[in-house]
């Protein structure tokens, strides 16, 4: 499978390191320094980003991803547009290289995402976000530890929330689970660091590095694909006729949450429309559903596209409400 992202330089120079420290300073260094063996070991990390987040990391003409690779010394690769992790509308990102370089790249990526997608208006509190790692089933036991002791120690050390998804039997052939890390940038980076050092001890973990974006086969095997057949690559959507795409549903969204659905410069609503295949229109200010203070959100398309758009809108609002 073709991947976006160019090869990175192998060396990391001191001037780039200085720039990185200035752009995203850490409040607290690791409580125990990594061993020399870990620092010199090549490894990888996979995680999920929305299409909009992936576009931000790639940058215009690939400028941002090239800069991050140069500054960190790690290699950054992304699955193709509309090739998603099963059960989500998220692309897969893989960062590989020496552990220290890899962590620098993740720090740069998280810092940019926080600045662009999670900046909170007013207040001195640091923004909190969720970062979703993709980890092989066989390696999750090492993160959990006996009786949950290891993951508990990671949570106490980093002060981040760490949750591991249950094994998903809905996608035969999928052998990965999602590890969600929630917190501030410093908390997330400490948790990711602890997790990666633990994974580096697992001899089976490196096997997945050779097939980073194998999930398209899982989709096709399960007759799944991006909602409404975005990209026209999935046979389960080819039999929809035009009449199926003219359904319209109107839902209510609280006035204070409309900005979340729209996103900065309309980015979120464009992403939802693109991924679901539905057309979405939000009523003007003051135009509410009768008897409520909810704005009208009209969704037009196939029933599947409408359901997907509704789900994405609900999830976007719920994600912010949880923080």
């Amino acid at each position: 499978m073709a991947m976006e992202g160019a090869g990175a330089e192998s060396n990391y120079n001191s001037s780039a390191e200085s720039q990185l420290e200035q752009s995203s300073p850490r409040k607290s260094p690791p409580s125990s320094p990594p061993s020399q063996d870990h620092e010199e070991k090549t490894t990888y990390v996979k995680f999920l980003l929305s299409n909009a987040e992936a576009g931000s990391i790639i940058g215009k003409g690939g400028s941002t991803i090239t800069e991050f690779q140069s500054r960190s010394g790690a290699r950054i690769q992304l699955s193709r547009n509309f090739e998603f992790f099963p059960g989500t509308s998220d692309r897969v990102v893989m960062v590989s290289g020496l552990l220290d370089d890899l962590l620098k790249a993740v720090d740069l990526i998280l810092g940019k995402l926080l600045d662009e997608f999670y900046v909170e208006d007013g207040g001195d509190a640091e923004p909190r976000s969720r970062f979703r790692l993709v980890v092989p089933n066989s390696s999750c036991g090492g993160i959990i530890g006996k009786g949950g002791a290891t993951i508990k120690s990671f949570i106490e050390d980093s002060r981040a929330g760490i949750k591991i998804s249950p094994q998903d039997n809905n996608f035969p052939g999928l052998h990965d689970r999602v590890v969600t890390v929630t917190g501030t940038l410093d908390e997330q980076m400490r948790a990711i660091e602890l997790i990666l050092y633990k994974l580096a001890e697992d001899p089976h973990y490196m096997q997945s590095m050779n097939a980073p974006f194998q999930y398209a086969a899982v989709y096709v095997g399960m007759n799944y694909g991006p909602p409404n057949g975005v990209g026209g690559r999935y046979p389960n959507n080819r039999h929809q006729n035009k009449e199926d795409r003219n359904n319209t549903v109107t839902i209510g969204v609280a006035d204070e949450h409309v900005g979340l659905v729209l996103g900065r410069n309309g980015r979120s609503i464009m992403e939802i429309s693109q991924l679901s295949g539905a057309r979405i229109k939000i009523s003007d200010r003051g135009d509410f559903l009768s008897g409520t203070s909810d704005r009208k959100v009209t969704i037009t398309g196939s029933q599947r596209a409408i359901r997907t758009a509704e789900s994405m809108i609900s999830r976007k609002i719920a994600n912010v409400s949880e923080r």
Side-chain angles (χ1 to χ4, degrees), residues 161-186:
I162 305 174
K163 292 185 178 180
I164 301 178
S165 67
Q167 294 189 37
D168 193 343
N169 296 321
N170 293 323
F171 299 95
L174 176 62
H175 304 295
D176 292 331
R177 293 161 76 176
V178 176
V179 179
T180 302
V181 180
T182 308
T184 64
L185 176 59
D186 291 325

Side-chain angles (χ1 to χ4, degrees), residues 39-68:
E39 288 180 339
E40 295 179 353
K41 184 178 293 185
T42 298
T43 187
Y44 74 97
V45 62
K46 289 195 291 188
F47 51 91
L48 305 180
L49 294 181
S50 69
N51 244 356
E53 291 170 333
S56 172
I57 297 306
I58 294 169
K60 188 174 182 180
S63 59
T64 303
I65 194 172
T66 300
E67 176 193 355
F68 285 1

Side-chain angles (χ1 to χ4, degrees), residues 36-110:
Q36 188 70 20
D37 288 343
H38 275 159
E39 288 180 339
E40 295 179 353
K41 184 178 293 185
T42 298
T43 187
Y44 74 97
V45 62
K46 289 195 291 188
F47 51 91
L48 305 180
L49 294 181
S50 69
N51 244 356
E53 291 170 333
S56 172
I57 297 306
I58 294 169
K60 188 174 182 180
S63 59
T64 303
I65 194 172
T66 300
E67 176 193 355
F68 285 1
Q69 289 185 124
S70 177
R71 291 175 64 181
S72 67
R75 187 182 186 195
I76 305 172
Q77 301 165 276
L78 292 90
S79 62
R80 282 185 178 274
N81 199 11
F82 301 122
E83 291 182 349
F84 304 126
F85 186 79
T88 76
S89 55
D90 298 311
R91 291 169 70 177
V92 182
V93 182
M94 187 174 85
V95 181
S96 56
L98 300 179
L99 265 170
D100 191 45
D101 295 345
L102 185 155
L103 287 167
K104 290 169 186 172
V106 172
D107 198 3
L108 286 168
I109 290 170
L110 273 175

Side-chain angles (χ1 to χ4, degrees), residues 1 46 84-86 92 134 174 176 212-219:
M1 182 179 298
K46 289 195 291 188
F84 304 126
F85 186 79
V92 182
V134 177
L174 176 62
D176 292 331
F213 309 123
Q214 75 276 31
Y215 305 109
V218 177
Y219 269 122

